[in-house]
Amino acid sequence: MGKRYRGGFTLIELSLSLIFIAILSLAVVFLIQNLTASYRRGLILNQVNTVGMDLIDDFRISVQNANAEPITKMCERMYTEGSTDRTNCINDNANSFVSATRYGNVTVNGTTRNMPIYGAFCTGTYTYIWNTGYFEPPSVYADVYTRSVSPNTPAVLGIKDSSNTNFTDLPNNSGKDFRLIKIYDESRSVCVNAMMKQNSWNASYKNIKTNTVSNQFMIDRDMYNNALAMDNGPIRLLEQDGQYSDLAIYELYVAEPALSATRQNMFYAASFILGTLRGGIDIKTTGSSCKPPNDDYTEIDYCAINKFNFAVTAGGY
């Protein structure tokens, strides 16, 4: 009888097959990881853009609903005709009654730069007060990157009685521990008080200096009562179901308002930078983008930042 032949794979063939399957499996794993990372980055960037556009709408509505008269009318009401204060106020377009920003030393991963850390934007209906995201280094990411702010005193909102200059906390500490809040303040009392406080409560008009703006923003007692009737007090933004989102403002800049020569009302141009808490964001070096993926402390999959610009006219479009 002839020999019976048994077909099969040699050891070398089996080894090559296993290597091919391993390489194919690794390729599939890397592909899935990349797709997942891209999807995650897309979700975060979409969140930043969506929230940013919502904030623009909020700012615009507030300005459009404000009194259309020039903000310089406040100069005429507050200062004596012919006085230097009235002249300075008018020449400045009453800019100190519109916005106030404090700058401080921000250290991100060992590098210190002078950056905006908090401020207020008084629209003539609602006043917005913000704290930079640098105030909140999440402890869960502390081993990934570090950041600190000096002075380490975030902005708070309180009440100023008309009879004194003392700061009184809002009920239930609702004016503390916020990233962005807005409060009904048609008299712009928050910015007026901020300007006067940095001048040691001198009623003379001066431009607010960025290194002297106090972290204690104050709303007049009567205006706070109106805010209670309107919205039950301050409204907290950048939160979801009472919990903070992963987003924060890193800058809110309001240009000196311009007076329309034809309509005699105020035109505002402003911008803000909105980004995630993660990623070691440094707006002085990367602007409105995250660090390149090869940089340390990037967390590129969880990092998104964008700069938003808007322009609006008080009392109309």
Side-chain angles (χ1 to χ4, degrees):
M1 294 179 60
K3 292 182 179 180
R4 181 177 296 176
Y5 177 76
R6 286 187 172 181
F9 296 103
T10 65
L11 183 60
I12 294 176
E13 289 174 331
L14 287 173
S15 299
L16 291 175
S17 298
L18 292 174
I19 293 173
F20 175 77
I21 292 173
I23 293 175
L24 182 61
S25 299
L26 286 174
V28 171
V29 169
F30 286 136
L31 178 61
I32 293 174
Q33 287 180 337
N34 288 334
L35 290 175
T36 302
S38 297
Y39 177 71
R40 186 163 49 233
R41 287 196 296 269
L43 286 179
I44 294 174
L45 182 59
N46 181 68
Q47 182 187 24
V48 169
N49 291 334
T50 299
V51 173
M53 296 307 296
D54 288 343
L55 287 179
I56 286 179
D57 289 340
D58 207 307
F59 292 142
R60 280 180 171 166
I61 290 172
S62 293
V63 174
Q64 289 166 1
N65 288 333
N67 193 321
E69 74 172 14
I71 185 64
T72 49
K73 291 291 184 180
M74 290 184 65
C75 306
E76 300 173 6
R77 290 193 291 268
M78 295 183 66
Y79 303 109
T80 305
E81 184 176 359
S83 68
T84 301
D85 290 320
R86 178 183 283 199
T87 300
N88 290 341
C89 183
I90 293 175
N91 289 341
D92 187 44
N93 281 336
N95 191 43
S96 291
F97 297 150
V98 173
S99 66
T101 302
R102 174 65 185 264
Y103 280 69
N105 292 324
V106 177
T107 302
V108 181
N109 298 328
T111 302
T112 302
R113 296 181 178 83
N114 192 248
M115 299 187 189
I117 57 176
Y118 58 72
F121 175 28
C122 302
T123 68
T125 51
Y126 284 91
T127 288
Y128 298 82
I129 306 173
W130 61 276
N131 279 307
T132 178
Y134 294 123
F135 276 123
E136 299 190 57
S139 58
V140 68
Y141 313 130
D143 59 337
V144 180
Y145 61 91
T146 60
R147 57 189 178 193
S148 62
V149 182
S150 178
N152 190 26
T153 49
V156 295
L157 176 63
I159 300 171
K160 183 185 86 67
D161 291 327
S162 58
S163 60
N164 58 58
T165 59
N166 294 328
F167 179 94
T168 303
D169 289 332
L170 296 188
N172 302 317
N173 290 324
S174 59
K176 295 182 177 179
D177 187 28
F178 60 83
R179 295 180 191 170
L180 176 64
I181 61 173
K182 71 174 186 177
I183 188 166
Y184 187 71
D185 180 24
E186 63 179 356
S187 66
R188 305 177 193 260
S189 67
V190 170
C191 286
V192 172
N193 290 326
M195 190 274 288
M196 290 184 175
K197 186 169 185 179
Q198 67 94 26
N199 287 330
S200 299
W201 295 104
N202 188 331
S204 63
Y205 186 88
K206 296 180 181 178
N207 295 336
I208 294 181
K209 302 300 181 182
T210 57
N211 61 343
T212 59
V213 177
S214 170
N215 73 308
Q216 293 182 330
F217 289 100
M218 289 187 280
I219 187 169
D220 289 348
R221 170 73 68 176
D222 292 342
M223 204 66 250
Y224 176 68
N225 291 334
N226 290 339
L228 285 176
M230 180 70 67
D231 303 302
N232 199 29
I235 301 171
R236 304 175 74 90
L237 306 176
L238 298 182
E239 296 184 17
Q240 298 174 344
D241 300 324
Q243 300 293 324
Y244 284 133
S245 67
D246 193 39
L247 304 181
I249 284 181
Y250 288 89
E251 181 183 48
L252 175 56
Y253 170 75
V254 183
E256 179 180 314
L259 179 63
S260 170
T262 56
R263 300 181 59 186
Q264 290 298 302
N265 53 3
M266 304 305 293
F267 176 82
Y268 296 84
S271 65
F272 62 92
I273 294 177
L274 181 70
T276 56
L277 293 180
R278 304 195 201 188
I281 288 174
D282 185 343
I283 64 173
K284 283 296 183 72
T285 59
T286 60
S288 57
S289 62
C290 294
K291 292 182 178 181
N294 57 343
D295 282 6
D296 292 337
Y297 316 111
T298 300
E299 289 189 298
I300 191 67
D301 292 352
Y302 301 93
C303 181
I305 183 172
N306 203 352
K307 184 175 184 177
F308 300 86
N309 304 285
F310 65 95
V312 61
T313 302
Y317 292 88

